[in-house]
Amino acid sequence: MAGIALVTGAGQGIGRAVAVAFAAEGTRVAAVDRDAKGIKRLAAEHEGICAYVADVSRVAQVEAVVAAVEAQLGPIGILANVAGILRTGPVLSFSDQDWADTFAVNAGGVFHLSRAVGARMANRRSGVIVTVSSNAAGIPRAGMAAYAASKAAATMFTKSLGLELAPYGIRCNVVAPGSTDTPMQRALWSEDGPAAVIAGDPAGYRTGIPLGRLAEPEDIADAVLFLASDRARHITMHDLYVDGGATLRG
Ligand code: NAP
């Protein structure tokens, strides 16, 4: 694929799988994360991946890292917004700080990156943006109101951006994963592991996963790479659910 791929949240989980998948097909990758450890290891293990430390919720850090990537590696042709955080808890006792942090990363981070990279793409009239949101953006989940709301914001922001950037030939799409085996997901498990997630919980209005398995990070990366590729050249403002049917969307 043309140009550099900038992938946020590349230190572990889905972001790491996305970075590895781009590198495997010969695309140079700027791997961005707020934690240097994971991306430095990633860069050491994979040719064509360079590590850049930045917190996507900090606009100055985002502006600086995007400028550095373009100066050092070249034009960013693909932006994959993957960085995200999950703070859970009932609304009635949810803290102001958890609410602010959730929106600063999950919605603010997508805005900061998309604005900085999108402006450069618009000048070049070329590029593609993929935001990894969540299936929680499309279905209510108890204990996840802030996360779900922040992901709904990221989803609709990305679709609206797709409309604004369409005249420049820039496509903007969303991938909405369901439960995916990453550190974020494992933090939610009881001692039974993923069984309860797969089985669902009628008392909690959760249907479970019809395909009977969690996603691997590579399953989500495949969807990101497809939407970033020319095979998806006529697809924009799309929201691709990769959740094993968990939200019964077919
Ligand atoms: P993860 O295992 O927690 O990895 C997320 C990575 O993003 C971490 O390296 C994290 O660094 C980094 N990150 C967090 N905040 C950042 C910030 N402000 N700036 C830069 N990097 C930051 O999560 P994951 O499961 O791979 O999730 C990736 C994306 O998929 C997220 O947007 C998540 O909401 C979404 N998603 C995941 C699932 C799932 O079941 N796993 C389901 C639906 C959607 P730290 O370790 O320092 O926080």
Side-chain angles (χ1 to χ4, degrees), residues 9-240:
Q12 64 182 32
I14 293 169
R16 180 185 166 89
V18 169
V20 169
F22 275 125
E25 61 158 37
T27 301
R28 287 195 82 187
V29 175
V32 175
D33 203 287
R34 66 179 168 190
D35 179 17
K37 214 166 59 205
I39 46 174
K40 280 194 174 154
R41 196 169 53 234
L42 179 67
E45 288 170 3
H46 296 271
E47 212 171 307
I49 300 184
C50 297
Y52 288 88
V53 176
D55 181 334
V56 300
S57 69
R58 303 294 179 92
V59 67
Q61 291 186 28
V62 168
E63 293 290 340
V65 87
V66 168
V69 169
E70 291 235 333
Q72 291 161 16
L73 303 184
I76 298 165
I78 299 163
L79 167 63
N81 289 307
V82 189
I85 60 170
L86 172 63
R87 304 267 171 86
T88 54
V91 171
L92 300 188
S93 57
F94 207 72
S95 73
D96 290 345
Q97 193 61 56
D98 280 341
W99 176 268
D101 290 349
T102 300
F103 271 78
V105 178
N106 295 356
V110 173
F111 166 56
H112 297 149
L113 263 302
S114 301
R115 182 177 59 182
V117 175
R120 290 166 168 86
M121 288 176 168
N123 279 336
R124 295 190 282 265
R125 305 187 82 81
S126 157
V128 53
I129 295 174
V130 181
T131 295
V132 173
S133 179
S134 172
N135 69 354
I139 191 165
R141 294 277 194 228
M144 283 198 177
Y147 178 76
S150 70
K151 289 296 190 176
T155 294
M156 192 47 76
F157 168 81
T158 303
K159 289 185 180 186
S160 302
L161 182 68
L163 185 58
E164 289 191 16
L165 296 188
Y168 301 94
I170 296 164
R171 298 181 297 105
C172 302
N173 287 295
V174 175
V175 172
S179 301
T180 305
D181 189 355
T182 69
M184 177 188 283
Q185 170 64 218
R186 283 175 178 249
L188 297 173
W189 294 355
S190 65
E191 58 209 20
D192 298 338
V197 176
I198 294 168
D201 170 22
Y205 304 99
R206 297 183 73 107
T207 34
I209 306 174
L211 286 181
R213 60 185 284 273
L214 297 184
E216 294 295 330
E218 291 73 20
D219 296 321
I220 312 306
D222 278 344
V224 172
L225 261 74
F226 167 67
L227 288 171
S229 77
D230 282 345
R231 284 175 299 153
R233 69 180 185 181
H234 208 50
I235 301 175
T236 192
M237 296 174 252
H238 189 66
D239 189 1
L240 177 55

